[in-house]
Amino acid sequence: MKHDAQIEPMLDEHGRPAVFAPLCRSIIKARATSTATFGSLCSDPGSEMLLDLYWRESQGLKTSLTSLWLASKASEMTGRRCLAVMEEQNIVERMPDPSDGRRVNVRFTSEGRKKMDACFSALLLGYAETCRDCACSCNDGPTSQDCASRWNNVPFCTLIGDLPAASTYWRR
């Protein structure tokens, strides 16, 4: 166990707040919608724990074991098993809470944070490639006559075209 219980907000190499924190928050919200829609069918306790821990650390918040297990949205035993795997893989570490000797906090190791950043980076790269494909297929947006037939051939664009904000964007 580490004895340093100070958790600073995540900063990038330039001292700016963690660049992936907003993406993390968006994923948490999307997963909450999936869970509300499909229930336990979309349950992934380990991912829930990792996302919650990343978000909390990006905000400079300590995370107790209890809080982490609650984030898993599963039983305490499932949360314990997920945590054990995270510790085995050197993703997280435990440390005592100096203000309460009974409480144990959890935080990312530097390796764990790098792994999370790599996952977020891969996700954003995939979105960027999809957007590039949409732009290449349809340079003028969904409202142009020339583009209308090609627009529906890019599934992501079809979805974006159905969103009110996207329609407003393309009409500018």
Side-chain angles (χ1 to χ4, degrees):
M1 268 193 207
K2 300 283 181 178
H3 291 283
D4 175 15
Q6 290 290 1
I7 298 176
E8 298 296 324
M10 282 188 223
L11 302 174
D12 68 11
E13 62 275 5
H14 304 289
R16 296 178 301 222
V19 68
F20 296 120
L23 175 60
C24 179
R25 189 70 183 151
S26 295
I27 293 169
I28 290 170
K29 287 180 181 180
R31 291 178 67 88
T33 300
S34 295
T35 300
T37 304
F38 299 108
S40 63
L41 186 61
C42 293
S43 176
D44 182 358
S47 292
E48 299 293 347
M49 292 168 74
L50 290 170
L51 289 167
D52 185 71
L53 184 59
Y54 191 94
W55 173 253
R56 292 179 58 79
E57 283 194 17
S58 78
Q59 304 304 299
L61 301 172
K62 295 178 185 177
T63 304
S64 68
L65 285 175
T66 304
S67 175
L68 194 62
W69 292 328
L70 289 172
S72 76
K73 298 176 183 68
S75 71
E76 183 179 334
M77 282 307 299
T78 299
R80 284 179 186 271
R81 281 192 299 271
C82 289
L83 180 63
V85 170
M86 290 177 205
E87 287 176 309
E88 286 170 18
Q89 294 182 12
N90 193 34
I91 296 170
V92 300
E93 59 190 3
R94 298 180 196 211
M95 70 226 134
D97 187 330
S99 64
D100 183 347
R102 299 165 295 171
R103 183 178 301 141
V104 175
N105 292 321
V106 179
R107 68 177 173 194
F108 278 110
T109 61
S110 60
E111 185 65 26
R113 190 173 296 164
K114 286 177 191 172
K115 287 179 179 183
M116 289 296 292
D117 285 345
C119 288
F120 288 132
S121 182
L123 186 60
L124 283 178
L125 180 61
Y127 287 149
E129 289 172 352
T130 301
C131 291
R132 185 198 64 222
D133 291 345
C134 287
C136 289
S137 296
C138 187
N139 289 325
D140 298 324
T143 57
S144 76
Q145 293 296 10
D146 184 39
C147 183
S149 62
R150 290 181 288 158
W151 181 258
N152 291 325
N153 292 331
V154 182
F156 187 78
C157 290
T158 302
L159 239 154
I160 295 284
D162 290 341
L163 298 175
S167 310
T168 304
Y169 170 78
W170 285 109
R171 289 188 188 124
R172 287 186 207 165

